[in-house]
Amino acid sequence: MSRIGKKPVELPSGVTASVSGQTIEVKGPKGTRSFSATDDVTLSVEDNVVKIDPRGSSKRARQQWGMSRTMVANLVTGVTSGFKKELEIQGVGYRAQMQGNTLKLNLGLSHDVDYTAPEGVTITAPKQTEIVVEGIDEQAVGQVAAEIRAWRKPEPYKGKGIRYKGEFIFRKEGKKK
C-alpha cells in the first residue's frame, strides 16, 4: 500500500483540473501544466480533490501510483506558487549578471560563460554572487540550476564555486608541510 499514493491531492481555490483519458491538465494563476500518467493508474477529479488509484496490484502499478500522485501534486504547486532554486557563488572574482534573457557568468575561466534561460524558466541575479531560478515546472527549474552549477562545482579545499543556497560542502585539509 503506497502511503504517498493513497493521499488525495487537494486543489486550492483558483485551481482547476480536468482529466481526459490518462492526461490531467491543471490550470492556475501562474499558468497551465499537464501530465500523462501510465496505464497502470486511474486519475479522477471529485469536488476539488484529485485521486489516483492503481489498476491491479502489480509491482509496476504500485510504483506508478505514488509517482503519479507526486507528479500531480507538483503540477498543483507549480501553478499556484511556482518553484524556486537559489544558487550562491563563492570565490574571488566570481560573479553573475543578467543581460536581457542571458546570464553572464565570470568564473575564473579564460572566457565568460553565457547561459540563455529556456522557455518557461526565469533567471535573476539580485546580487553579483546570487542567482535565482524560478518557474512552474519543477523538473525544468532543477535542470537549469544544475546546469548553471555544473560550470563551476564547489571544490572541497577552499569551497570556491557555485552552490545551492544552504548546501554543505565537505571540506578537506590541504597538503601538510
mmCIF file of all heavy atoms in Angstrom, residues 11 15-20 22-28 31-36 43 45 50 72 75-76 79:
data_model
loop_
_atom_site.group_PDB
_atom_site.id
_atom_site.type_symbol
_atom_site.label_atom_id
_atom_site.label_comp_id
_atom_site.label_asym_id
_atom_site.label_seq_id
_atom_site.Cartn_x
_atom_site.Cartn_y
_atom_site.Cartn_z
ATOM 1 N N LEU A 11 -7.057 20.585 -4.373
ATOM 2 C CA LEU A 11 -6.939 21.695 -5.321
ATOM 3 C C LEU A 11 -7.319 22.983 -4.603
ATOM 4 O O LEU A 11 -8.473 23.136 -4.191
ATOM 5 C CB LEU A 11 -7.856 21.479 -6.533
ATOM 6 C CG LEU A 11 -7.534 20.281 -7.423
ATOM 7 C CD1 LEU A 11 -8.572 20.156 -8.514
ATOM 8 C CD2 LEU A 11 -6.163 20.413 -8.028
ATOM 9 N N VAL A 15 -7.689 27.050 -8.701
ATOM 10 C CA VAL A 15 -7.030 26.000 -9.479
ATOM 11 C C VAL A 15 -8.088 24.999 -9.945
ATOM 12 O O VAL A 15 -8.921 24.564 -9.157
ATOM 13 C CB VAL A 15 -5.955 25.271 -8.640
ATOM 14 C CG1 VAL A 15 -5.342 24.127 -9.417
ATOM 15 C CG2 VAL A 15 -4.876 26.242 -8.210
ATOM 16 N N THR A 16 -8.056 24.682 -11.248
ATOM 17 C CA THR A 16 -8.987 23.699 -11.789
ATOM 18 C C THR A 16 -8.203 22.578 -12.448
ATOM 19 O O THR A 16 -7.118 22.799 -12.987
ATOM 20 C CB THR A 16 -9.928 24.332 -12.835
ATOM 21 O OG1 THR A 16 -9.127 24.894 -13.885
ATOM 22 C CG2 THR A 16 -10.800 25.408 -12.222
ATOM 23 N N ALA A 17 -8.766 21.379 -12.392
ATOM 24 C CA ALA A 17 -8.128 20.219 -13.010
ATOM 25 C C ALA A 17 -9.143 19.501 -13.881
ATOM 26 O O ALA A 17 -10.320 19.407 -13.523
ATOM 27 C CB ALA A 17 -7.591 19.274 -11.938
ATOM 28 N N SER A 18 -8.678 19.039 -15.045
ATOM 29 C CA SER A 18 -9.562 18.272 -15.925
ATOM 30 C C SER A 18 -8.807 17.045 -16.416
ATOM 31 O O SER A 18 -7.626 17.112 -16.738
ATOM 32 C CB SER A 18 -10.002 19.133 -17.115
ATOM 33 O OG SER A 18 -8.878 19.570 -17.845
ATOM 34 N N VAL A 19 -9.509 15.905 -16.420
ATOM 35 C CA VAL A 19 -8.910 14.636 -16.833
ATOM 36 C C VAL A 19 -9.518 14.220 -18.157
ATOM 37 O O VAL A 19 -10.733 14.225 -18.318
ATOM 38 C CB VAL A 19 -9.161 13.542 -15.770
ATOM 39 C CG1 VAL A 19 -8.602 12.216 -16.243
ATOM 40 C CG2 VAL A 19 -8.548 13.932 -14.452
ATOM 41 N N SER A 20 -8.659 13.882 -19.119
ATOM 42 C CA SER A 20 -9.130 13.319 -20.385
ATOM 43 C C SER A 20 -8.267 12.101 -20.677
ATOM 44 O O SER A 20 -7.094 12.232 -21.034
ATOM 45 C CB SER A 20 -9.037 14.350 -21.508
ATOM 46 O OG SER A 20 -7.717 14.772 -21.688
ATOM 47 N N GLN A 22 -5.778 9.454 -19.890
ATOM 48 C CA GLN A 22 -4.701 9.334 -18.911
ATOM 49 C C GLN A 22 -3.958 10.653 -18.710
ATOM 50 O O GLN A 22 -2.915 10.673 -18.067
ATOM 51 C CB GLN A 22 -3.719 8.245 -19.343
ATOM 52 C CG GLN A 22 -4.253 6.836 -19.211
ATOM 53 C CD GLN A 22 -4.587 6.477 -17.782
ATOM 54 O OE1 GLN A 22 -5.752 6.508 -17.385
ATOM 55 N NE2 GLN A 22 -3.586 6.142 -16.997
ATOM 56 N N THR A 23 -4.495 11.748 -19.259
ATOM 57 C CA THR A 23 -3.838 13.047 -19.151
ATOM 58 C C THR A 23 -4.630 13.957 -18.224
ATOM 59 O O THR A 23 -5.841 14.087 -18.371
ATOM 60 C CB THR A 23 -3.715 13.706 -20.536
ATOM 61 O OG1 THR A 23 -3.014 12.808 -21.398
ATOM 62 C CG2 THR A 23 -2.963 15.012 -20.460
ATOM 63 N N ILE A 24 -3.940 14.591 -17.272
ATOM 64 C CA ILE A 24 -4.572 15.559 -16.394
ATOM 65 C C ILE A 24 -3.976 16.923 -16.705
ATOM 66 O O ILE A 24 -2.774 17.054 -16.897
ATOM 67 C CB ILE A 24 -4.393 15.188 -14.902
ATOM 68 C CG1 ILE A 24 -5.154 16.176 -14.010
ATOM 69 C CG2 ILE A 24 -2.940 15.102 -14.508
ATOM 70 C CD1 ILE A 24 -5.307 15.730 -12.585
ATOM 71 N N GLU A 25 -4.848 17.928 -16.805
ATOM 72 C CA GLU A 25 -4.409 19.297 -17.073
ATOM 73 C C GLU A 25 -4.831 20.162 -15.903
ATOM 74 O O GLU A 25 -6.001 20.172 -15.519
ATOM 75 C CB GLU A 25 -5.043 19.809 -18.367
ATOM 76 C CG GLU A 25 -4.480 21.145 -18.803
ATOM 77 C CD GLU A 25 -4.993 21.561 -20.160
ATOM 78 O OE1 GLU A 25 -4.490 21.032 -21.160
ATOM 79 O OE2 GLU A 25 -5.900 22.406 -20.190
ATOM 80 N N VAL A 26 -3.871 20.879 -15.315
ATOM 81 C CA VAL A 26 -4.136 21.723 -14.150
ATOM 82 C C VAL A 26 -3.919 23.170 -14.555
ATOM 83 O O VAL A 26 -2.866 23.524 -15.090
ATOM 84 C CB VAL A 26 -3.201 21.328 -12.974
ATOM 85 C CG1 VAL A 26 -3.480 22.180 -11.765
ATOM 86 C CG2 VAL A 26 -3.345 19.863 -12.639
ATOM 87 N N LYS A 27 -4.943 24.011 -14.304
ATOM 88 C CA LYS A 27 -4.853 25.442 -14.617
ATOM 89 C C LYS A 27 -4.890 26.227 -13.320
ATOM 90 O O LYS A 27 -5.690 25.937 -12.436
ATOM 91 C CB LYS A 27 -6.032 25.876 -15.489
ATOM 92 C CG LYS A 27 -5.994 25.326 -16.882
ATOM 93 C CD LYS A 27 -7.171 25.793 -17.688
ATOM 94 C CE LYS A 27 -7.152 25.100 -19.049
ATOM 95 N NZ LYS A 27 -8.419 25.210 -19.735
ATOM 96 N N GLY A 28 -4.024 27.230 -13.230
ATOM 97 C CA GLY A 28 -3.959 28.053 -12.027
ATOM 98 C C GLY A 28 -3.529 29.463 -12.368
ATOM 99 O O GLY A 28 -3.384 29.822 -13.539
ATOM 100 N N GLY A 31 -0.275 29.666 -14.590
ATOM 101 C CA GLY A 31 -0.219 29.040 -15.909
ATOM 102 C C GLY A 31 -0.919 27.699 -15.937
ATOM 103 O O GLY A 31 -1.695 27.363 -15.050
ATOM 104 N N THR A 32 -0.627 26.943 -16.989
ATOM 105 C CA THR A 32 -1.240 25.635 -17.196
ATOM 106 C C THR A 32 -0.155 24.579 -17.351
ATOM 107 O O THR A 32 0.833 24.802 -18.051
ATOM 108 C CB THR A 32 -2.099 25.658 -18.475
ATOM 109 O OG1 THR A 32 -3.044 26.704 -18.362
ATOM 110 C CG2 THR A 32 -2.817 24.350 -18.667
ATOM 111 N N ARG A 33 -0.343 23.436 -16.678
ATOM 112 C CA ARG A 33 0.593 22.318 -16.791
ATOM 113 C C ARG A 33 -0.212 21.043 -16.979
ATOM 114 O O ARG A 33 -1.334 20.923 -16.483
ATOM 115 C CB ARG A 33 1.438 22.181 -15.514
ATOM 116 C CG ARG A 33 2.321 23.354 -15.213
ATOM 117 C CD ARG A 33 3.695 23.279 -15.806
ATOM 118 N NE ARG A 33 4.400 22.113 -15.320
ATOM 119 C CZ ARG A 33 4.927 21.195 -16.110
ATOM 120 N NH1 ARG A 33 4.870 21.309 -17.402
ATOM 121 N NH2 ARG A 33 5.544 20.152 -15.610
ATOM 122 N N SER A 34 0.369 20.063 -17.666
ATOM 123 C CA SER A 34 -0.323 18.795 -17.854
ATOM 124 C C SER A 34 0.648 17.637 -17.629
ATOM 125 O O SER A 34 1.868 17.808 -17.718
ATOM 126 C CB SER A 34 -0.927 18.713 -19.251
ATOM 127 O OG SER A 34 0.090 18.721 -20.216
ATOM 128 N N PHE A 35 0.074 16.471 -17.319
ATOM 129 C CA PHE A 35 0.859 15.272 -17.043
ATOM 130 C C PHE A 35 0.117 14.078 -17.606
ATOM 131 O O PHE A 35 -1.086 13.936 -17.406
ATOM 132 C CB PHE A 35 1.072 15.113 -15.526
ATOM 133 C CG PHE A 35 1.598 13.758 -15.120
ATOM 134 C CD1 PHE A 35 2.875 13.364 -15.465
ATOM 135 C CD2 PHE A 35 0.815 12.885 -14.379
ATOM 136 C CE1 PHE A 35 3.360 12.126 -15.086
ATOM 137 C CE2 PHE A 35 1.295 11.646 -13.992
ATOM 138 C CZ PHE A 35 2.571 11.261 -14.350
ATOM 139 N N SER A 36 0.836 13.218 -18.336
ATOM 140 C CA SER A 36 0.249 11.999 -18.878
ATOM 141 C C SER A 36 0.683 10.816 -18.016
ATOM 142 O O SER A 36 1.866 10.487 -17.966
ATOM 143 C CB SER A 36 0.706 11.768 -20.318
ATOM 144 O OG SER A 36 0.233 12.805 -21.138
ATOM 145 N N LEU A 43 -6.886 8.168 -12.954
ATOM 146 C CA LEU A 43 -6.984 9.522 -12.415
ATOM 147 C C LEU A 43 -8.458 9.909 -12.350
ATOM 148 O O LEU A 43 -9.209 9.637 -13.285
ATOM 149 C CB LEU A 43 -6.243 10.511 -13.317
ATOM 150 C CG LEU A 43 -4.764 10.243 -13.570
ATOM 151 C CD1 LEU A 43 -4.272 11.067 -14.740
ATOM 152 C CD2 LEU A 43 -3.956 10.562 -12.348
ATOM 153 N N VAL A 45 -11.171 13.278 -10.730
ATOM 154 C CA VAL A 45 -11.316 14.554 -10.043
ATOM 155 C C VAL A 45 -12.734 14.618 -9.481
ATOM 156 O O VAL A 45 -13.703 14.500 -10.218
ATOM 157 C CB VAL A 45 -11.070 15.746 -11.005
ATOM 158 C CG1 VAL A 45 -11.236 17.069 -10.280
ATOM 159 C CG2 VAL A 45 -9.707 15.657 -11.640
ATOM 160 N N VAL A 50 -8.094 15.543 -6.377
ATOM 161 C CA VAL A 50 -7.652 14.606 -7.413
ATOM 162 C C VAL A 50 -7.242 13.315 -6.718
ATOM 163 O O VAL A 50 -6.432 13.330 -5.790
ATOM 164 C CB VAL A 50 -6.452 15.173 -8.209
ATOM 165 C CG1 VAL A 50 -5.983 14.181 -9.251
ATOM 166 C CG2 VAL A 50 -6.801 16.494 -8.848
ATOM 167 N N VAL A 72 1.251 14.910 -9.882
ATOM 168 C CA VAL A 72 0.048 15.755 -9.868
ATOM 169 C C VAL A 72 0.182 16.822 -8.780
ATOM 170 O O VAL A 72 -0.172 17.991 -8.995
ATOM 171 C CB VAL A 72 -1.219 14.895 -9.675
ATOM 172 C CG1 VAL A 72 -2.439 15.776 -9.459
ATOM 173 C CG2 VAL A 72 -1.430 13.991 -10.878
ATOM 174 N N LEU A 75 2.325 19.533 -10.078
ATOM 175 C CA LEU A 75 1.607 20.389 -11.026
ATOM 176 C C LEU A 75 0.823 21.447 -10.268
ATOM 177 O O LEU A 75 0.842 22.630 -10.630
ATOM 178 C CB LEU A 75 0.626 19.568 -11.881
ATOM 179 C CG LEU A 75 1.157 18.502 -12.829
ATOM 180 C CD1 LEU A 75 0.012 17.899 -13.621
ATOM 181 C CD2 LEU A 75 2.190 19.065 -13.772
ATOM 182 N N VAL A 76 0.118 21.034 -9.220
ATOM 183 C CA VAL A 76 -0.703 21.962 -8.434
ATOM 184 C C VAL A 76 0.179 23.013 -7.762
ATOM 185 O O VAL A 76 -0.122 24.206 -7.796
ATOM 186 C CB VAL A 76 -1.549 21.186 -7.394
ATOM 187 C CG1 VAL A 76 -2.263 22.141 -6.459
ATOM 188 C CG2 VAL A 76 -2.552 20.280 -8.097
ATOM 189 N N VAL A 79 1.497 25.612 -10.472
ATOM 190 C CA VAL A 79 0.571 26.623 -10.991
ATOM 191 C C VAL A 79 0.065 27.563 -9.902
ATOM 192 O O VAL A 79 -0.486 28.620 -10.214
ATOM 193 C CB VAL A 79 -0.634 26.002 -11.753
ATOM 194 C CG1 VAL A 79 -0.159 25.233 -12.967
ATOM 195 C CG2 VAL A 79 -1.483 25.144 -10.851
#
